[in-house]
Amino acid sequence: MSSMYKTTEEHEELRKAIRAFAEAEIKPLSFGLDQNNEFPEEIIKQIGEHGWMGLPYSEEEGGAGKDVISYAIAVEELSRVDAGVGVVLSAHTSLGSYPIQAFGTKEQKEKYLKPLAQGKKLGAFGLTEPNAGSDAGGTETTAVLEGDYYILNGNKIFITNAPAADVYIVYAVTTPGIGTHGISAFIVEKGWEGFTFGDHYDKLGIRSSTTAELQFNNVKVPKENLLGKEGQGFRIAMQTLDGGRIGIASQALGIAQGAYEEALAYAKERIQFGRPIAQQQAVAFKIADMATKIRAARLMVYSAAEMKQNHENYSMEAAMCKTVASEVAMWVVNEALQIHGGNGYLKGMAVERFFRDAKITTIYEGTSEIQRVVVASNLIGKAPKKKGKAAIIDKKAGPITGDRKREIIKADTAQEAVDILVQNLKKDGYDFSVGIPMDTPVYEAERVVSVGNAIGSEENMDIARDLAHAAGAALGGSRPVAETLKLIPLERYVGMSGQKFNGNLYIACGISGAVQHLKGIKNASTIVAINKNAGAPIFKNCDYGIVGDIFEIMPLLAESLGTGEKEPAPPMKKVRRSKPRKLAPNYKVMVCPGCGYEYDPNVGDPEGEIDPGTDFDRLPDDWTCPECQEEKQNFIPEEYPEDRK
């Protein structure tokens, strides 16, 4: 293969067309899209009509039949004007469409890849979870085969293009306990029953790109929507991310190019000390270094794209180009803003937006630290498996709010459920004849009643106030209730970026339990959850839960707690958190005939990615003894397990 250090005439024609479109159609709207956190639906539709949503896919597949460099140029040119628009294309093409093109059946390609490549539908990719970021082995979303369907349950966070996308590639555990070997990939459609979205994230940058949480509550996925084979999901995800890294590197490159051009133009017209600042050596050297670093990054990005096009092993080069391009972008936007001086710090200046947009490129689709892990393992090789007994590593982090009772109250009527809840709370030591003012700051409050988006509007807030009064509690809410619905003051929203609740009783009404919210309540002694979605994450993080409509449950609960006047509560004493009961293990012992190693399901085999708690029967067929590599099928049961001490 001959290295192509120069793009072709066809590449540059494409660049010219996309640049003209970006300047005419996107640039005038960029400031508004950024300020309003607005997804550019119309612009994305036009990009599809130009045939740019499926650039690297063949015409038979619905694409434009171009190469990977053409795709990189498209992302770069869109990001040069608006990085949010650039990442919509990148996530759609690299993450939402590629897995179907590489691993899909003929039927899957016809049904899903074609409309994606034609730009008639938008794609997205669901891998990240609260406990599975850089470490995809921590995936907790599950898919259980029942007849003709997989039943999908769980949550994905930070999903680019959600909820705008129509088609999602979702990763879920089909065989629990065997780490990455048990993950499978599925094609999931928006609109299926039980598939809902969390709130749109309010981000620092790339604000014209929409990012939200995916929530799966018993979603029926037809078994023909399994992508590849069961257990292949991790390989599909890693192979997909290799290509995605070229897309993000291109986005970083576009941001750097846009910031550099802004800085160069400004430096030529800004006069200080009698001449343009571009002619001051301090500034001239900055501009020279910017152009040099951008060129180096561009050659790396196009080289990795060319390797992908030629079906070479490009994993390491993709990681290298993403690291370099994203870190160059960070350096360039910083210098570009510096050249603009105080003007660069103002909202509405393109460099201020580029400055905020650049940071994410060092984080998503594999942080710079993970890219270095990829590069190093390609150069050095993976560390050998340790001999001897492996240390116990519990990869499951457990609920975000720590160990909780997780008692979901089952009753024939809503009133009975409420009565059981109140009984339990009183047994735990809560006295509802006393209370605190409703406007007590959240961080000082002993009790808080908090409402989520489900509360809807101001006319429903009386129900929340009644319950807060009856519980002797302060009133709080989720971020969207304060920021979007504006039903409570900003300083009353609870979460990682808001107020932390450190008191005793937290009653969450219509709150699904986004990670950011849960991290703000993890110090609560008792968490009560009321939500009509039985699969909401809040139920894994609560002590008592009632599955039901908040508009039915909240008034009943207020009545049961007592709506009369409350005595002022004494100074807060922290209530001791009660721990859930643990069950004793019960398992058979399997022994390696080669070396006598005993497989203990309580320990698992962490070096072989087998979680503690995995029965021997659920180990993958290719698992071998960690001490002598004897095959699993040769293991024999211990004859007298009941005599073992």
Side-chain angles (χ1 to χ4, degrees):
M1 166 209 132
S2 64
S3 272
M4 184 173 69
Y5 293 109
K6 197 169 185 307
T7 49
T8 64
E9 206 173 307
E10 197 183 343
H11 287 140
E12 292 311 314
E13 282 302 312
L14 177 71
R15 184 192 302 279
K16 207 163 129 190
I18 296 176
R19 184 171 290 199
F21 171 81
E23 290 283 339
E25 304 296 330
I26 306 174
K27 201 170 195 173
L29 304 177
S30 286
F31 177 59
L33 294 172
D34 174 65
Q35 288 289 288
N36 302 328
N37 212 354
E38 187 186 331
F39 183 74
E41 207 169 325
E42 200 47 47
I43 289 169
I44 301 305
K45 205 171 132 197
Q46 288 177 52
I47 292 171
E49 285 162 4
H50 279 92
W52 298 331
M53 294 298 272
L55 283 166
Y57 303 121
S58 69
E59 288 175 17
E60 301 84 72
E61 292 165 333
K66 306 281 187 197
D67 60 4
V68 183
I69 293 182
S70 302
Y71 157 64
I73 287 170
V75 175
E76 179 188 349
E77 285 302 320
L78 292 173
S79 304
R80 174 185 159 272
V81 168
D82 190 316
V85 178
V87 81
V88 174
L89 178 67
S90 177
H92 164 85
T93 309
S94 295
L95 304 183
S97 310
Y98 170 79
I100 304 172
Q101 194 258 349
F103 297 93
T105 61
K106 200 174 156 200
E107 293 75 21
Q108 287 171 342
K109 287 182 185 180
E110 187 60 39
K111 184 174 179 183
Y112 294 109
L113 181 60
K114 247 192 183 157
L116 286 167
Q118 289 165 343
K120 291 177 181 169
K121 287 196 170 165
L122 190 63
F125 175 91
L127 180 65
T128 305
E129 294 184 10
N131 292 324
S134 297
D135 176 11
T139 297
E140 290 169 7
T141 295
T142 58
V144 178
L145 185 59
E146 287 182 11
D148 292 335
Y149 295 92
Y150 284 91
I151 308 301
L152 189 64
N153 279 292
N155 280 63
K156 299 288 178 180
I157 60 170
F158 300 138
I159 306 304
T160 303
N161 289 353
D166 306 287
V167 178
Y168 297 79
I169 310 299
V170 176
Y171 297 83
V173 175
T174 42
T175 308
I178 58 171
T180 53
H181 305 289
I183 297 172
S184 303
F186 298 90
I187 305 170
V188 180
E189 294 180 37
K190 177 160 79 173
W192 282 353
E193 196 181 342
F195 176 16
T196 54
F197 300 94
D199 298 306
H200 171 74
Y201 293 111
D202 190 12
K203 306 187 297 285
L204 171 73
I206 58 162
R207 289 167 61 82
S208 54
S209 145
T210 176
T211 313
E213 192 174 318
L214 312 182
Q215 300 164 343
F216 305 106
N217 181 21
N218 291 328
V219 178
K220 289 168 80 173
V221 180
K223 64 180 181 189
E224 59 268 24
N225 279 40
L226 173 71
L227 193 55
K229 295 190 175 76
E230 268 201 20
Q232 264 193 341
F234 185 73
R235 187 163 77 80
I236 294 173
M238 293 305 109
Q239 199 168 312
T240 301
L241 286 171
D242 283 342
R245 284 163 187 164
I246 293 173
I248 300 306
S250 307
Q251 182 198 15
L253 192 54
I255 294 169
Q257 181 69 32
Y260 158 74
E261 289 176 17
E262 290 286 337
L264 179 61
Y266 183 83
K268 283 178 173 176
E269 67 183 37
R270 168 76 169 154
I271 309 288
Q272 288 289 279
F273 306 106
R275 56 181 175 166
I277 59 170
Q279 296 186 0
Q280 312 284 359
Q281 193 181 60
V283 174
F285 279 10
K286 284 183 193 295
I287 288 166
D289 285 345
M290 281 181 187
T292 305
K293 287 178 193 239
I294 291 169
R295 179 168 166 79
R298 183 171 286 115
L299 289 172
M300 287 186 80
V301 175
Y302 292 0
S303 162
E306 190 180 43
M307 288 177 77
K308 182 176 194 302
Q309 184 64 37
N310 294 334
H311 307 291
E312 295 174 59
N313 181 0
Y314 69 98
S315 176
M316 178 173 80
E317 287 75 10
M320 285 175 166
C321 80
K322 180 183 181 290
T323 309
V324 169
S326 62
E327 292 179 2
V328 162
M330 284 295 290
W331 184 86
V332 168
V333 295
N334 192 45
E335 294 295 346
L337 200 148
Q338 190 71 19
I339 287 171
H340 277 73
N343 287 324
Y345 206 66
L346 301 175
K347 286 274 178 210
M349 296 296 283
V351 284
E352 182 270 342
R353 178 164 48 84
F354 286 133
F355 186 87
R356 287 183 287 107
D357 288 346
K359 182 60 201 168
I360 192 63
T361 64
T362 68
I363 296 172
Y364 58 10
E365 289 188 44
T367 60
S368 292
E369 291 73 18
I370 288 292
Q371 305 310 320
R372 288 176 166 89
V373 169
V374 172
V375 173
S377 66
N378 271 277
L379 297 171
I380 301 160
K382 286 189 176 142
K385 233 181 179 186
K386 292 191 186 88
K387 295 279 180 194
K389 297 267 182 191
I392 297 177
I393 300 172
D394 184 5
K395 284 178 76 171
K396 290 280 174 276
I400 291 165
T401 58
D403 262 3
R404 296 277 167 186
K405 283 184 179 175
R406 286 166 72 173
E407 286 182 20
I408 309 304
I409 296 167
K410 305 253 188 299
D412 293 334
T413 66
Q415 183 63 63
E416 279 176 49
V418 165
D419 291 343
I420 295 167
L421 171 62
V422 173
Q423 212 177 322
N424 282 333
L425 291 173
K426 286 181 175 172
K427 207 160 60 182
D428 290 346
Y430 290 104
D431 174 5
F432 296 106
S433 67
V434 299
I436 57 173
M438 217 177 289
D439 58 357
T440 304
V442 168
Y443 56 87
E444 285 177 7
E446 189 212 342
R447 304 170 192 174
V448 165
V449 165
S450 226
V451 288
N453 249 349
I455 200 72
S457 61
E458 177 54 49
E459 66 228 38
N460 297 325
M461 283 301 287
D462 281 343
I463 303 171
R465 292 185 196 102
D466 290 347
L467 179 56
H469 170 74
L475 188 63
S478 64
R479 181 174 186 148
V481 171
E483 202 171 57
T484 312
L485 300 178
K486 297 185 166 46
L487 300 179
I488 56 170
L490 264 181
E491 68 273 12
R492 299 207 72 76
Y493 85 76
V494 185
M496 184 165 67
S497 59
Q499 302 298 332
K500 313 283 186 295
F501 175 69
N502 298 308
N504 288 325
L505 178 60
Y506 190 81
I507 303 178
C509 308
I511 289 174
S512 66
V515 185
Q516 288 80 357
H517 192 86
L518 294 172
K519 286 193 171 169
I521 62 172
K522 62 182 184 181
N523 295 332
S525 301
T526 307
I527 297 173
V528 173
I530 304 164
N531 199 298
K532 65 178 177 190
N533 174 5
I538 190 81
F539 287 123
K540 289 182 186 164
N541 288 276
C542 71
D543 294 284
Y544 304 111
I546 296 179
V547 179
D549 188 329
I550 59 168
F551 297 117
E552 183 184 10
I553 305 293
M554 286 169 72
L556 290 174
L557 182 54
E559 202 56 48
S560 294
L561 293 175
T563 52
E565 283 309 304
K566 306 283 171 180
E567 291 292 317
M572 180 171 73
K573 281 188 184 157
K574 200 73 171 128
V575 171
R576 191 172 162 191
R577 189 191 293 191
S578 53
K579 291 286 167 93
R581 294 182 293 278
K582 295 267 192 293
L583 295 174
N586 180 17
Y587 59 90
K588 65 177 177 183
V589 177
M590 298 297 286
V591 183
C592 171
C595 67
Y597 162 84
E598 295 175 359
Y599 176 74
D600 180 349
N602 286 329
V603 177
D605 173 18
E607 290 292 327
E609 287 198 323
I610 307 298
D611 286 354
T614 304
D615 291 340
F616 186 82
D617 298 340
R618 283 168 49 213
L619 295 174
D621 293 339
D622 59 359
W623 180 83
T624 57
C625 170
E627 294 194 356
C628 72
Q629 277 66 58
E630 182 75 47
E631 291 182 8
K632 172 193 169 185
Q633 66 210 46
N634 298 333
F635 271 56
I636 49 173
E638 174 68 67
E639 282 181 44
Y640 306 106
E642 65 273 14
D643 294 340
R644 297 172 56 79
K645 294 284 182 264

